[in-house]
Amino acid sequence: MIQLTINGKGHSYDGDPSMPLLWFLRDVADLTGTKYGCGMALCGACTVHLDGQAIRSCVTPVAAAAGKKITTVEAVGADKVGHAVQAAWQKLDVVQCGYCQSGQIMSATALLKSNHKPSDADIDAAMSGNVCRCATYVRIRAAIHEAAGTLSA
Ligand code: FES
Ligand code: FES
């Protein structure tokens, strides 16, 4: 039996331990904010936090998340940094179609937790694995700077 803690809530799972965490989040825990894009760690749509680190849940086996703290976009706003990121996203109207954006927000939050004042180069490096087909990259970068400014004020 695998024990998972998702957004502070305990879950038990006795199925295939190699099943991707993304399937558990979406199909078992009914947390559909985390998206499926490529299934191959190439797009970032499925990004969640595992003990605060941004990971691709489409290639992370459920077993690898056992005993760790999993945070999804549904709960990231409860965190001070996550809240600032979401507020900046809204203020700068970052979203276009929205499909990639939960992953973008999770990666941006993980970045700002480890780097309180990232440069453009830091942002580009940290966010390079999150693809946006609507090309909202300029607004994403601006929103990360906005969130960093809010958090340092
Ligand atoms: S769905 Fe996981 S990186 Fe694309
Ligand atoms: S907002 Fe459409 S894919 Fe990013």
Side-chain angles (χ1 to χ4, degrees):
M1 184 73 79
I2 295 171
Q3 304 297 333
L4 299 169
T5 304
I6 306 171
N7 300 337
K9 187 175 164 206
H11 296 260
S12 298
Y13 175 66
D14 63 358
D16 180 357
S18 68
M19 181 178 82
L21 175 61
L22 179 59
W23 298 159
F24 189 90
L25 294 174
R26 291 184 55 84
D27 297 341
V28 183
D30 204 23
L31 294 165
T32 55
T34 307
K35 303 303 184 197
Y36 171 75
C38 65
M40 299 169 66
L42 297 171
C43 76
C46 66
T47 304
V48 299
H49 293 176
L50 203 58
D51 283 345
Q53 300 293 315
I55 59 106
R56 308 302 188 223
S57 63
C58 69
V59 294
T60 302
V62 175
K68 298 187 176 162
K69 190 175 146 198
I70 303 157
T71 306
T72 71
V73 73
E74 284 86 353
V76 75
D79 171 89
K80 183 180 160 199
V81 177
H83 179 76
V85 168
Q86 289 184 321
W89 246 243
Q90 283 191 312
K91 182 176 176 186
L92 299 189
D93 210 5
V94 170
V95 175
Q96 194 157 320
C97 82
Y99 199 83
C100 73
Q101 296 292 336
S102 59
Q104 305 282 3
I105 285 170
M106 298 308 287
S107 289
T109 300
L111 166 63
L112 285 171
K113 279 174 172 288
S114 63
N115 181 346
H116 299 263
K117 200 167 174 21
S119 65
D120 284 348
D122 295 335
I123 292 171
D124 291 348
M127 302 298 293
S128 64
N130 286 82
V131 176
C132 176
R133 292 187 71 175
C134 303
T136 61
Y137 302 111
V138 173
R139 293 201 296 275
I140 286 171
R141 190 197 275 174
I144 292 172
H145 284 306
E146 168 75 23
T150 304
L151 289 163
S152 68

